Amino acid sequence: ATNDLKLTDSRTPQVTSHKKKDGTLVSVEVMVTTFPWQPQKLIILTVRDVSPLRESTTTLAESEARYRLLFEAEPEAIIVFDAATHQIVEANPAANRLYGYTRQQWLTVTIADLLDNPTQNLMDFRLAGKLKVHKMPLLEHKRSNDTFFPAEVSTSTYKLKDRTLVCAIVRDLTEPQQTEQELRKTLRFANALIQTSPAYFITITPAGKITMLNDTFLQALGYTAEAVIGQNYLTLLIPD
């Protein structure tokens, strides 16, 4: 029911239902995160389908394949680590080149191994595991050959089963900082990752107006973006 869903920050998933375009209901878990956006805050909902008989297995596999292609092709270094243990669970080829580790070697690496002063600098990575999005200050990072380079890191978190994972985009600032055009390219890539992710993402304003749903969510509910953008989330998708 509408009154059961609280649109406030919570680290505990809320179980509710969403209405598809055809009126049928789908059981979901919703994680709510808020962050400042210009003069107001924006609410991000990460939604997981928990229906006993979930369909669209083929669609999900295709979505995961598109996500993998983007992850592998991105020129920026990306590492994914466990928020609780800081163990690296995945890295793209750009990260392999930047840090000098092979795919197999990454499995024994933790965030502390990548920092010049882990005792002092791990705090930002701990904080990243508690925030939906986070931008870290400039830090010295360490390659596998013990050489160092200045880097800027932007992170986002997501749930995978019972784990919280952190996706970190690492920008090597050895060369002059990114131009505005390069920054726009990175933002377009981040949006592409969201749009092709097998997870469901939706953003709404504090008043409940929908500002974005990713393609996976739209396909699951049977809507088009034009039909939902600007609509009230609680009225449109949450059953009475």
Side-chain angles (χ1 to χ4, degrees), residues 195-216:
Q195 290 300 331
T196 60
S197 171
Y200 298 164
F201 287 95
I202 179 172
T203 60
I204 62 176
T205 68
K209 182 183 293 185
I210 298 171
T211 58
M212 186 278 293
L213 291 90
N214 70 338
D215 291 341
T216 309

Side-chain angles (χ1 to χ4, degrees), residues 10-29:
S10 173
R11 302 196 69 184
T12 303
Q14 302 178 64
V15 178
T16 185
S17 297
H18 278 170
K19 290 186 294 187
K20 292 186 177 182
K21 185 179 180 181
D22 62 9
T24 58
L25 302 182
V26 56
S27 299
V28 296
E29 281 185 349

Side-chain angles (χ1 to χ4, degrees), residues 31-45:
M31 290 287 292
V32 181
T33 307
T34 63
F35 70 95
W37 182 258
Q38 296 172 350
Q40 62 177 359
K41 66 180 180 180
L42 197 64
I43 302 172
I44 296 180
L45 307 180

Side-chain angles (χ1 to χ4, degrees), residues 19 82 98:
K19 290 186 294 187
D82 188 298
L98 180 60

Side-chain angles (χ1 to χ4, degrees), residues 13-184:
Q14 302 178 64
V15 178
T16 185
S17 297
H18 278 170
K19 290 186 294 187
K20 292 186 177 182
K21 185 179 180 181
D22 62 9
T24 58
L25 302 182
V26 56
S27 299
V28 296
E29 281 185 349
V30 180
M31 290 287 292
V32 181
T33 307
T34 63
F35 70 95
W37 182 258
Q38 296 172 350
Q40 62 177 359
K41 66 180 180 180
L42 197 64
I43 302 172
I44 296 180
L45 307 180
T46 306
V47 183
R48 186 166 70 94
D49 185 350
V50 293
S51 302
L53 298 175
R54 182 176 179 179
E55 300 177 354
S56 68
T57 303
T58 301
T59 301
L60 180 61
E62 291 173 351
S63 180
E64 289 175 337
R66 291 196 302 271
Y67 184 88
R68 171 59 54 186
L69 286 172
L70 281 167
F71 183 82
E72 296 289 342
E74 167 58 23
E76 293 276 16
I78 302 176
I79 56 176
V80 179
F81 63 92
D82 188 298
T85 65
H86 296 163
Q87 177 70 48
I88 307 297
V89 297
E90 194 166 18
N92 71 342
N96 298 348
R97 293 189 294 271
L98 180 60
Y99 288 96
Y101 290 105
T102 65
R103 186 182 294 271
Q104 191 63 31
Q105 288 171 329
W106 277 116
L107 300 179
T108 62
V109 175
T110 67
I111 289 296
D113 298 319
L114 305 180
L115 299 177
D116 176 25
N117 188 342
T119 302
Q120 178 179 337
N121 295 330
L122 265 177
M123 183 179 300
D124 263 301
F125 285 87
R126 293 192 185 101
L127 182 60
K130 300 176 182 178
L131 301 175
K132 190 64 183 177
V133 291
H134 182 49
K135 185 174 182 180
M136 301 185 191
L138 183 68
L139 296 174
E140 288 288 313
H141 285 228
K142 185 170 66 173
R143 299 185 179 91
S144 62
N145 62 3
D146 290 334
T147 60
F148 298 90
F149 64 94
E152 183 180 76
V153 179
S154 298
T155 65
S156 60
T157 62
Y158 61 96
K159 286 281 187 178
L160 183 63
K161 297 182 179 179
D162 296 328
R163 303 170 73 186
T164 299
L165 298 181
V166 181
C167 178
I169 299 178
V170 183
R171 301 175 185 88
D172 181 0
L173 298 184
T174 304
E175 299 298 327
Q177 294 197 13
Q178 290 178 307
T179 64
E180 185 176 347
Q181 181 179 1
E182 290 170 331
L183 180 59
R184 285 199 298 268

